Amino acid sequence: MSERIPVGILGTTGTVGARLVRLLADHPWFEIAEVGASDRSAGGRLGDLLAGEAGPLPERVASLEVRSLSGSWSSPVILSALPSSVAREIEPALAGAGHLVVSNASTFRNDPDVPLVIPEVNAHHLALLERQRGRWPGAIVTNPNCVVTGLAMALAPLHERFGIVRAVATTFQAISGAGKPGPPAGDLVDNVLPFIAGEEEKVAYEPRKILGALEDGALRDAPFRVGVTATRVNVLHGHLVSVSVELEGAPGPDEVLDALRSWEGRTAGLGLPSAPARALEVTDDPTRPQPRLDRDRSGGMTVTVGRVRPCEALGISFLALAHNLDRGAAGAALLNAELCRVKGLVEAASPRPS
Ligand SMILES: NC(=O)c1ccc[n+]([C@@H]2O[C@H](COP(=O)([O-])OP(=O)(O)OC[C@H]3O[C@@H](n4cnc5c(N)ncnc54)[C@H](OP(=O)(O)O)[C@@H]3O)[C@@H](O)[C@H]2O)c1
C-alpha cells in the first residue's frame, strides 16, 4: 500500500475533474482512490470516460471505476468539481461525515464560515475553519471563480502595499471556463459573447472576501468595490482581465510595478508541490500577456501581469492572465489541499466508517 494520502474526486468526468485527474495522476503526496460523477457515468472505466482528455494515465488510475455520489467515501480528502447545485447537497454531507472537502464550486464561497483561499494571498484565512467546528466534524475549503483567481492575485500586492479604493474589471474568458459542453461553436466564431450568467456578481464580490481582514476569528470583507463586465471570447484556455484601479495615495506605474515585482506571497518555504516559484510574473512587453503565449507558465500556475500604465480615470490600468483550469480551478483546489496538508488539516480529517 502506498504511503500517499488517498483522495476522492467528485465531478471527475467534467472539464475541471479531468484536469484534477491529470494533476493528481502522479502527485507526490496524494493518490486518486475514488472517482465520482453522475449516474450517467457511474459504472464506467475512468480512462474510457475521459477518452484522453486527462492525457496518458497510469493503468491504476485509468482502470478506476467511476461511481455515483451516493453511499459513503473512504478518502480523508475529497476534491469537488461538481456543479454548484449538486455541491449544495453533497459537500455538507461529506463534511458531516468527517471529510476535508476542497471545492471548486461556488456554492459555499460566500459562506462566512468557509475560507475562500488562494494560498499565496490568504493562507491565513484557513483560521475560519474554527467557525465550522459546530457545523460538522469535517471541513469545507473553497477556491475562487476561475477569473477571480488571476484578478485577486494581481490586486493582492496593491491592496497590501497601498490599499484599493475601487476597481473596474472587464474579462475576456476562455471557452473551457464554461465547462461541458460549452457554448456552441457557431456562437463563438467571429464573435464575443457579452454576458456570462452569474459571473459578474462573483467577480465583484470574491476579491473583497479574499483580500478581507481576519478580526477576532471572523472575516471583514475589504471595503473596495469592483465594477465588472464579463465576456466570453474564442480562446480555448486562459482568462484575460483588463483592470483599472484607484489606489490610496495615487501611486504611479513605477511604484505599482515595484509592488507587483517584489510580492512574494504567503507560500514561500512551505514546499507545496503545486506552488510555482513565482506566483506573479510581470512583463514589460507591451504585446503581452496573451492567452496562447502566457497561460502555461509554471504548469499554468503563474499569473502574468502586463501593460501596467497610467489611467486617466482611476490612476492605474493593467492586464492579468491566468490559466482558468490550472490556476483558476483544478490547480487551485490542489494547491489548497496541499496547503491544508502542511497545516495539519488533512491528518485531522477522519471520515466515519460506514
Ligand atoms: N471550467 C472552469 O474553468 C471552472 C473554473 C473554476 C470553477 N469551476 C467550477 O467547477 C465546477 C465544475 O466545472 P466544470 O467546468 O468542470 O463542469 P462540467 O464540465 O460540466 O463537469 C461537471 C461534472 O459534474 C458531474 N455532474 C453533473 N451533474 C451531476 C449530478 N447530478 N450528480 C453527480 N455528478 C454530476 C458531471 O458528471 P457526468 O459527466 O457524469 O455528467 C461532471 O463530472 C463547477 O462548479 C464550476 O462552476 C469551473
Side-chain angles (χ1 to χ4, degrees), residues 152-186:
M153 288 179 69
L155 290 177
L158 310 184
H159 195 55
E160 288 170 18
R161 171 88 64 100
F162 310 106
I164 295 170
V165 179
R166 73 190 92 232
V168 174
T170 302
T171 74
F172 306 85
Q173 297 183 220
I175 301 163
S176 61
K180 291 179 181 174

PDB file of all heavy atoms in Angstrom, residues 152-186:
ATOM      1  N   ALA A 152      -7.539  38.577  -8.354  1.00  0.00           N
ATOM      2  CA  ALA A 152      -7.218  38.771  -6.934  1.00  0.00           C
ATOM      3  C   ALA A 152      -5.710  38.680  -6.691  1.00  0.00           C
ATOM      4  O   ALA A 152      -5.172  39.391  -5.835  1.00  0.00           O
ATOM      5  CB  ALA A 152      -7.954  37.738  -6.084  1.00  0.00           C
ATOM      6  N   MET A 153      -5.028  37.811  -7.452  1.00  0.00           N
ATOM      7  CA  MET A 153      -3.575  37.699  -7.255  1.00  0.00           C
ATOM      8  C   MET A 153      -2.860  38.962  -7.733  1.00  0.00           C
ATOM      9  O   MET A 153      -1.843  39.350  -7.163  1.00  0.00           O
ATOM     10  CB  MET A 153      -3.031  36.462  -7.965  1.00  0.00           C
ATOM     11  CG  MET A 153      -3.435  35.178  -7.241  1.00  0.00           C
ATOM     12  SD  MET A 153      -2.855  33.685  -8.047  1.00  0.00           S
ATOM     13  CE  MET A 153      -1.084  33.811  -7.781  1.00  0.00           C
ATOM     14  N   ALA A 154      -3.388  39.608  -8.763  1.00  0.00           N
ATOM     15  CA  ALA A 154      -2.778  40.861  -9.217  1.00  0.00           C
ATOM     16  C   ALA A 154      -3.133  42.019  -8.277  1.00  0.00           C
ATOM     17  O   ALA A 154      -2.320  42.926  -8.066  1.00  0.00           O
ATOM     18  CB  ALA A 154      -3.237  41.169 -10.638  1.00  0.00           C
ATOM     19  N   LEU A 155      -4.316  41.978  -7.694  1.00  0.00           N
ATOM     20  CA  LEU A 155      -4.726  43.064  -6.790  1.00  0.00           C
ATOM     21  C   LEU A 155      -4.069  42.937  -5.410  1.00  0.00           C
ATOM     22  O   LEU A 155      -3.896  43.947  -4.709  1.00  0.00           O
ATOM     23  CB  LEU A 155      -6.253  43.071  -6.614  1.00  0.00           C
ATOM     24  CG  LEU A 155      -7.083  43.499  -7.830  1.00  0.00           C
ATOM     25  CD1 LEU A 155      -8.576  43.386  -7.510  1.00  0.00           C
ATOM     26  CD2 LEU A 155      -6.750  44.936  -8.265  1.00  0.00           C
ATOM     27  N   ALA A 156      -3.712  41.710  -5.014  1.00  0.00           N
ATOM     28  CA  ALA A 156      -3.226  41.491  -3.641  1.00  0.00           C
ATOM     29  C   ALA A 156      -2.013  42.363  -3.292  1.00  0.00           C
ATOM     30  O   ALA A 156      -2.020  43.043  -2.255  1.00  0.00           O
ATOM     31  CB  ALA A 156      -2.901  40.006  -3.424  1.00  0.00           C
ATOM     32  N   PRO A 157      -0.962  42.399  -4.136  1.00  0.00           N
ATOM     33  CA  PRO A 157       0.188  43.236  -3.762  1.00  0.00           C
ATOM     34  C   PRO A 157      -0.187  44.713  -3.662  1.00  0.00           C
ATOM     35  O   PRO A 157       0.411  45.446  -2.866  1.00  0.00           O
ATOM     36  CB  PRO A 157       1.177  43.020  -4.915  1.00  0.00           C
ATOM     37  CG  PRO A 157       0.708  41.808  -5.632  1.00  0.00           C
ATOM     38  CD  PRO A 157      -0.755  41.707  -5.413  1.00  0.00           C
ATOM     39  N   LEU A 158      -1.171  45.131  -4.474  1.00  0.00           N
ATOM     40  CA  LEU A 158      -1.556  46.546  -4.488  1.00  0.00           C
ATOM     41  C   LEU A 158      -2.386  46.890  -3.255  1.00  0.00           C
ATOM     42  O   LEU A 158      -2.251  47.968  -2.674  1.00  0.00           O
ATOM     43  CB  LEU A 158      -2.328  46.875  -5.775  1.00  0.00           C
ATOM     44  CG  LEU A 158      -1.651  46.403  -7.068  1.00  0.00           C
ATOM     45  CD1 LEU A 158      -2.439  46.868  -8.286  1.00  0.00           C
ATOM     46  CD2 LEU A 158      -0.224  46.936  -7.135  1.00  0.00           C
ATOM     47  N   HIS A 159      -3.232  45.940  -2.842  1.00  0.00           N
ATOM     48  CA  HIS A 159      -4.023  46.181  -1.630  1.00  0.00           C
ATOM     49  C   HIS A 159      -3.120  46.159  -0.399  1.00  0.00           C
ATOM     50  O   HIS A 159      -3.284  46.980   0.517  1.00  0.00           O
ATOM     51  CB  HIS A 159      -5.134  45.137  -1.508  1.00  0.00           C
ATOM     52  CG  HIS A 159      -6.182  45.510  -0.528  1.00  0.00           C
ATOM     53  ND1 HIS A 159      -6.871  46.706  -0.588  1.00  0.00           N
ATOM     54  CD2 HIS A 159      -6.659  44.864   0.574  1.00  0.00           C
ATOM     55  CE1 HIS A 159      -7.727  46.775   0.419  1.00  0.00           C
ATOM     56  NE2 HIS A 159      -7.613  45.674   1.138  1.00  0.00           N
ATOM     57  N   GLU A 160      -2.161  45.226  -0.403  1.00  0.00           N
ATOM     58  CA  GLU A 160      -1.247  45.138   0.751  1.00  0.00           C
ATOM     59  C   GLU A 160      -0.361  46.375   0.847  1.00  0.00           C
ATOM     60  O   GLU A 160      -0.126  46.897   1.936  1.00  0.00           O
ATOM     61  CB  GLU A 160      -0.365  43.879   0.629  1.00  0.00           C
ATOM     62  CG  GLU A 160      -1.139  42.587   0.867  1.00  0.00           C
ATOM     63  CD  GLU A 160      -0.339  41.341   0.507  1.00  0.00           C
ATOM     64  OE1 GLU A 160       0.903  41.413   0.393  1.00  0.00           O
ATOM     65  OE2 GLU A 160      -0.977  40.274   0.334  1.00  0.00           O
ATOM     66  N   ARG A 161       0.150  46.869  -0.276  1.00  0.00           N
ATOM     67  CA  ARG A 161       1.097  47.999  -0.239  1.00  0.00           C
ATOM     68  C   ARG A 161       0.382  49.348  -0.120  1.00  0.00           C
ATOM     69  O   ARG A 161       0.824  50.217   0.632  1.00  0.00           O
ATOM     70  CB  ARG A 161       1.956  47.972  -1.514  1.00  0.00           C
ATOM     71  CG  ARG A 161       2.853  49.166  -1.768  1.00  0.00           C
ATOM     72  CD  ARG A 161       4.232  49.068  -1.120  1.00  0.00           C
ATOM     73  NE  ARG A 161       5.060  47.986  -1.619  1.00  0.00           N
ATOM     74  CZ  ARG A 161       6.044  48.130  -2.530  1.00  0.00           C
ATOM     75  NH1 ARG A 161       6.295  49.310  -3.056  1.00  0.00           N
ATOM     76  NH2 ARG A 161       6.765  47.077  -2.899  1.00  0.00           N
ATOM     77  N   PHE A 162      -0.736  49.542  -0.868  1.00  0.00           N
ATOM     78  CA  PHE A 162      -1.343  50.873  -0.936  1.00  0.00           C
ATOM     79  C   PHE A 162      -2.761  50.933  -0.349  1.00  0.00           C
ATOM     80  O   PHE A 162      -3.142  51.917   0.259  1.00  0.00           O
ATOM     81  CB  PHE A 162      -1.434  51.347  -2.402  1.00  0.00           C
ATOM     82  CG  PHE A 162      -0.145  51.223  -3.165  1.00  0.00           C
ATOM     83  CD1 PHE A 162       0.013  50.226  -4.115  1.00  0.00           C
ATOM     84  CD2 PHE A 162       0.908  52.092  -2.930  1.00  0.00           C
ATOM     85  CE1 PHE A 162       1.204  50.094  -4.822  1.00  0.00           C
ATOM     86  CE2 PHE A 162       2.100  51.968  -3.629  1.00  0.00           C
ATOM     87  CZ  PHE A 162       2.250  50.965  -4.575  1.00  0.00           C
ATOM     88  N   GLY A 163      -3.546  49.898  -0.587  1.00  0.00           N
ATOM     89  CA  GLY A 163      -4.977  49.925  -0.271  1.00  0.00           C
ATOM     90  C   GLY A 163      -5.766  50.279  -1.524  1.00  0.00           C
ATOM     91  O   GLY A 163      -5.479  51.277  -2.197  1.00  0.00           O
ATOM     92  N   ILE A 164      -6.734  49.435  -1.871  1.00  0.00           N
ATOM     93  CA  ILE A 164      -7.545  49.662  -3.068  1.00  0.00           C
ATOM     94  C   ILE A 164      -8.775  50.488  -2.691  1.00  0.00           C
ATOM     95  O   ILE A 164      -9.465  50.172  -1.712  1.00  0.00           O
ATOM     96  CB  ILE A 164      -7.977  48.317  -3.696  1.00  0.00           C
ATOM     97  CG1 ILE A 164      -6.742  47.561  -4.204  1.00  0.00           C
ATOM     98  CG2 ILE A 164      -8.992  48.523  -4.815  1.00  0.00           C
ATOM     99  CD1 ILE A 164      -7.020  46.129  -4.619  1.00  0.00           C
ATOM    100  N   VAL A 165      -9.037  51.517  -3.477  1.00  0.00           N
ATOM    101  CA  VAL A 165     -10.238  52.337  -3.264  1.00  0.00           C
ATOM    102  C   VAL A 165     -11.393  51.759  -4.086  1.00  0.00           C
ATOM    103  O   VAL A 165     -12.494  51.556  -3.580  1.00  0.00           O
ATOM    104  CB  VAL A 165      -9.984  53.808  -3.665  1.00  0.00           C
ATOM    105  CG1 VAL A 165     -11.243  54.649  -3.456  1.00  0.00           C
ATOM    106  CG2 VAL A 165      -8.801  54.374  -2.882  1.00  0.00           C
ATOM    107  N   ARG A 166     -11.158  51.523  -5.358  1.00  0.00           N
ATOM    108  CA  ARG A 166     -12.162  50.921  -6.246  1.00  0.00           C
ATOM    109  C   ARG A 166     -11.455  50.381  -7.478  1.00  0.00           C
ATOM    110  O   ARG A 166     -10.309  50.763  -7.755  1.00  0.00           O
ATOM    111  CB  ARG A 166     -13.239  51.940  -6.644  1.00  0.00           C
ATOM    112  CG  ARG A 166     -12.791  52.982  -7.637  1.00  0.00           C
ATOM    113  CD  ARG A 166     -13.801  54.094  -7.801  1.00  0.00           C
ATOM    114  NE  ARG A 166     -13.486  55.182  -6.872  1.00  0.00           N
ATOM    115  CZ  ARG A 166     -14.339  55.719  -6.026  1.00  0.00           C
ATOM    116  NH1 ARG A 166     -15.595  55.302  -5.999  1.00  0.00           N
ATOM    117  NH2 ARG A 166     -13.978  56.689  -5.224  1.00  0.00           N
ATOM    118  N   ALA A 167     -12.150  49.513  -8.206  1.00  0.00           N
ATOM    119  CA  ALA A 167     -11.566  48.951  -9.428  1.00  0.00           C
ATOM    120  C   ALA A 167     -12.669  48.691 -10.443  1.00  0.00           C
ATOM    121  O   ALA A 167     -13.840  48.518 -10.077  1.00  0.00           O
ATOM    122  CB  ALA A 167     -10.815  47.654  -9.118  1.00  0.00           C
ATOM    123  N   VAL A 168     -12.273  48.679 -11.707  1.00  0.00           N
ATOM    124  CA  VAL A 168     -13.185  48.298 -12.794  1.00  0.00           C
ATOM    125  C   VAL A 168     -12.487  47.188 -13.584  1.00  0.00           C
ATOM    126  O   VAL A 168     -11.318  47.331 -13.945  1.00  0.00           O
ATOM    127  CB  VAL A 168     -13.492  49.495 -13.718  1.00  0.00           C
ATOM    128  CG1 VAL A 168     -14.314  49.043 -14.928  1.00  0.00           C
ATOM    129  CG2 VAL A 168     -14.226  50.582 -12.953  1.00  0.00           C
ATOM    130  N   ALA A 169     -13.196  46.078 -13.814  1.00  0.00           N
ATOM    131  CA  ALA A 169     -12.581  44.923 -14.481  1.00  0.00           C
ATOM    132  C   ALA A 169     -13.458  44.477 -15.650  1.00  0.00           C
ATOM    133  O   ALA A 169     -14.678  44.338 -15.500  1.00  0.00           O
ATOM    134  CB  ALA A 169     -12.417  43.767 -13.492  1.00  0.00           C
ATOM    135  N   THR A 170     -12.823  44.269 -16.795  1.00  0.00           N
ATOM    136  CA  THR A 170     -13.504  43.676 -17.958  1.00  0.00           C
ATOM    137  C   THR A 170     -12.787  42.377 -18.277  1.00  0.00           C
ATOM    138  O   THR A 170     -11.564  42.366 -18.453  1.00  0.00           O
ATOM    139  CB  THR A 170     -13.440  44.616 -19.181  1.00  0.00           C
ATOM    140  OG1 THR A 170     -14.032  45.851 -18.810  1.00  0.00           O
ATOM    141  CG2 THR A 170     -14.185  44.024 -20.368  1.00  0.00           C
ATOM    142  N   THR A 171     -13.552  41.276 -18.331  1.00  0.00           N
ATOM    143  CA  THR A 171     -12.914  39.973 -18.528  1.00  0.00           C
ATOM    144  C   THR A 171     -13.077  39.489 -19.974  1.00  0.00           C
ATOM    145  O   THR A 171     -14.061  39.810 -20.648  1.00  0.00           O
ATOM    146  CB  THR A 171     -13.508  38.906 -17.592  1.00  0.00           C
ATOM    147  OG1 THR A 171     -14.821  38.540 -18.062  1.00  0.00           O
ATOM    148  CG2 THR A 171     -13.599  39.410 -16.162  1.00  0.00           C
ATOM    149  N   PHE A 172     -12.099  38.699 -20.408  1.00  0.00           N
ATOM    150  CA  PHE A 172     -12.109  38.042 -21.720  1.00  0.00           C
ATOM    151  C   PHE A 172     -11.878  36.564 -21.418  1.00  0.00           C
ATOM    152  O   PHE A 172     -10.737  36.119 -21.291  1.00  0.00           O
ATOM    153  CB  PHE A 172     -11.009  38.617 -22.616  1.00  0.00           C
ATOM    154  CG  PHE A 172     -11.074  40.122 -22.751  1.00  0.00           C
ATOM    155  CD1 PHE A 172     -10.472  40.944 -21.807  1.00  0.00           C
ATOM    156  CD2 PHE A 172     -11.768  40.713 -23.796  1.00  0.00           C
ATOM    157  CE1 PHE A 172     -10.545  42.326 -21.904  1.00  0.00           C
ATOM    158  CE2 PHE A 172     -11.850  42.100 -23.904  1.00  0.00           C
ATOM    159  CZ  PHE A 172     -11.231  42.912 -22.957  1.00  0.00           C
ATOM    160  N   GLN A 173     -12.957  35.817 -21.259  1.00  0.00           N
ATOM    161  CA  GLN A 173     -12.865  34.483 -20.670  1.00  0.00           C
ATOM    162  C   GLN A 173     -12.904  33.380 -21.726  1.00  0.00           C
ATOM    163  O   GLN A 173     -13.667  33.442 -22.696  1.00  0.00           O
ATOM    164  CB  GLN A 173     -13.980  34.290 -19.638  1.00  0.00           C
ATOM    165  CG  GLN A 173     -13.825  35.281 -18.484  1.00  0.00           C
ATOM    166  CD  GLN A 173     -14.842  35.123 -17.374  1.00  0.00           C
ATOM    167  OE1 GLN A 173     -15.328  36.115 -16.849  1.00  0.00           O
ATOM    168  NE2 GLN A 173     -15.157  33.906 -16.981  1.00  0.00           N
ATOM    169  N   ALA A 174     -12.078  32.361 -21.469  1.00  0.00           N
ATOM    170  CA  ALA A 174     -11.897  31.277 -22.427  1.00  0.00           C
ATOM    171  C   ALA A 174     -13.093  30.321 -22.433  1.00  0.00           C
ATOM    172  O   ALA A 174     -13.879  30.257 -21.478  1.00  0.00           O
ATOM    173  CB  ALA A 174     -10.625  30.509 -22.092  1.00  0.00           C
ATOM    174  N   ILE A 175     -13.175  29.536 -23.491  1.00  0.00           N
ATOM    175  CA  ILE A 175     -14.297  28.614 -23.696  1.00  0.00           C
ATOM    176  C   ILE A 175     -14.333  27.536 -22.615  1.00  0.00           C
ATOM    177  O   ILE A 175     -15.404  27.182 -22.106  1.00  0.00           O
ATOM    178  CB  ILE A 175     -14.176  27.949 -25.089  1.00  0.00           C
ATOM    179  CG1 ILE A 175     -14.179  29.008 -26.190  1.00  0.00           C
ATOM    180  CG2 ILE A 175     -15.289  26.942 -25.309  1.00  0.00           C
ATOM    181  CD1 ILE A 175     -13.656  28.501 -27.523  1.00  0.00           C
ATOM    182  N   SER A 176     -13.153  27.010 -22.226  1.00  0.00           N
ATOM    183  CA  SER A 176     -13.143  25.902 -21.263  1.00  0.00           C
ATOM    184  C   SER A 176     -13.664  26.332 -19.899  1.00  0.00           C
ATOM    185  O   SER A 176     -14.034  25.489 -19.081  1.00  0.00           O
ATOM    186  CB  SER A 176     -11.746  25.294 -21.142  1.00  0.00           C
ATOM    187  OG  SER A 176     -10.819  26.259 -20.678  1.00  0.00           O
ATOM    188  N   GLY A 177     -13.735  27.627 -19.654  1.00  0.00           N
ATOM    189  CA  GLY A 177     -14.306  28.114 -18.398  1.00  0.00           C
ATOM    190  C   GLY A 177     -15.780  27.828 -18.272  1.00  0.00           C
ATOM    191  O   GLY A 177     -16.342  27.902 -17.171  1.00  0.00           O
ATOM    192  N   ALA A 178     -16.426  27.517 -19.389  1.00  0.00           N
ATOM    193  CA  ALA A 178     -17.873  27.265 -19.361  1.00  0.00           C
ATOM    194  C   ALA A 178     -18.192  25.814 -19.054  1.00  0.00           C
ATOM    195  O   ALA A 178     -19.363  25.448 -18.938  1.00  0.00           O
ATOM    196  CB  ALA A 178     -18.494  27.659 -20.694  1.00  0.00           C
ATOM    197  N   GLY A 179     -17.174  24.951 -18.885  1.00  0.00           N
ATOM    198  CA  GLY A 179     -17.440  23.535 -18.641  1.00  0.00           C
ATOM    199  C   GLY A 179     -17.993  22.858 -19.884  1.00  0.00           C
ATOM    200  O   GLY A 179     -17.929  23.396 -20.990  1.00  0.00           O
ATOM    201  N   LYS A 180     -18.553  21.646 -19.675  1.00  0.00           N
ATOM    202  CA  LYS A 180     -19.062  20.878 -20.821  1.00  0.00           C
ATOM    203  C   LYS A 180     -20.568  21.048 -20.948  1.00  0.00           C
ATOM    204  O   LYS A 180     -21.245  21.091 -19.921  1.00  0.00           O
ATOM    205  CB  LYS A 180     -18.735  19.398 -20.620  1.00  0.00           C
ATOM    206  CG  LYS A 180     -17.262  19.086 -20.712  1.00  0.00           C
ATOM    207  CD  LYS A 180     -17.053  17.597 -20.465  1.00  0.00           C
ATOM    208  CE  LYS A 180     -15.581  17.258 -20.526  1.00  0.00           C
ATOM    209  NZ  LYS A 180     -15.327  15.857 -20.152  1.00  0.00           N
ATOM    210  N   PRO A 181     -21.144  21.150 -22.140  1.00  0.00           N
ATOM    211  CA  PRO A 181     -20.451  21.088 -23.427  1.00  0.00           C
ATOM    212  C   PRO A 181     -19.873  22.438 -23.841  1.00  0.00           C
ATOM    213  O   PRO A 181     -19.171  22.504 -24.839  1.00  0.00           O
ATOM    214  CB  PRO A 181     -21.564  20.659 -24.386  1.00  0.00           C
ATOM    215  CG  PRO A 181     -22.807  21.234 -23.787  1.00  0.00           C
ATOM    216  CD  PRO A 181     -22.603  21.204 -22.294  1.00  0.00           C
ATOM    217  N   GLY A 182     -20.135  23.502 -23.115  1.00  0.00           N
ATOM    218  CA  GLY A 182     -19.651  24.823 -23.504  1.00  0.00           C
ATOM    219  C   GLY A 182     -20.550  25.462 -24.534  1.00  0.00           C
ATOM    220  O   GLY A 182     -21.493  24.839 -25.036  1.00  0.00           O
ATOM    221  N   PRO A 183     -20.284  26.737 -24.878  1.00  0.00           N
ATOM    222  CA  PRO A 183     -21.129  27.434 -25.853  1.00  0.00           C
ATOM    223  C   PRO A 183     -21.003  26.801 -27.237  1.00  0.00           C
ATOM    224  O   PRO A 183     -19.946  26.277 -27.577  1.00  0.00           O
ATOM    225  CB  PRO A 183     -20.566  28.858 -25.867  1.00  0.00           C
ATOM    226  CG  PRO A 183     -19.552  28.936 -24.782  1.00  0.00           C
ATOM    227  CD  PRO A 183     -19.166  27.555 -24.390  1.00  0.00           C
ATOM    228  N   PRO A 184     -22.074  26.840 -28.048  1.00  0.00           N
ATOM    229  CA  PRO A 184     -21.982  26.296 -29.415  1.00  0.00           C
ATOM    230  C   PRO A 184     -20.907  27.020 -30.219  1.00  0.00           C
ATOM    231  O   PRO A 184     -20.757  28.237 -30.091  1.00  0.00           O
ATOM    232  CB  PRO A 184     -23.374  26.583 -30.005  1.00  0.00           C
ATOM    233  CG  PRO A 184     -24.252  26.919 -28.846  1.00  0.00           C
ATOM    234  CD  PRO A 184     -23.376  27.421 -27.740  1.00  0.00           C
ATOM    235  N   ALA A 185     -20.161  26.258 -31.031  1.00  0.00           N
ATOM    236  CA  ALA A 185     -19.070  26.844 -31.823  1.00  0.00           C
ATOM    237  C   ALA A 185     -19.586  27.986 -32.695  1.00  0.00           C
ATOM    238  O   ALA A 185     -18.921  29.007 -32.861  1.00  0.00           O
ATOM    239  CB  ALA A 185     -18.426  25.757 -32.681  1.00  0.00           C
ATOM    240  N   GLY A 186     -20.784  27.812 -33.212  1.00  0.00           N
ATOM    241  CA  GLY A 186     -21.334  28.840 -34.104  1.00  0.00           C
ATOM    242  C   GLY A 186     -21.569  30.168 -33.406  1.00  0.00           C
ATOM    243  O   GLY A 186     -21.599  31.227 -34.052  1.00  0.00           O
TER     244      GLY A 186
END
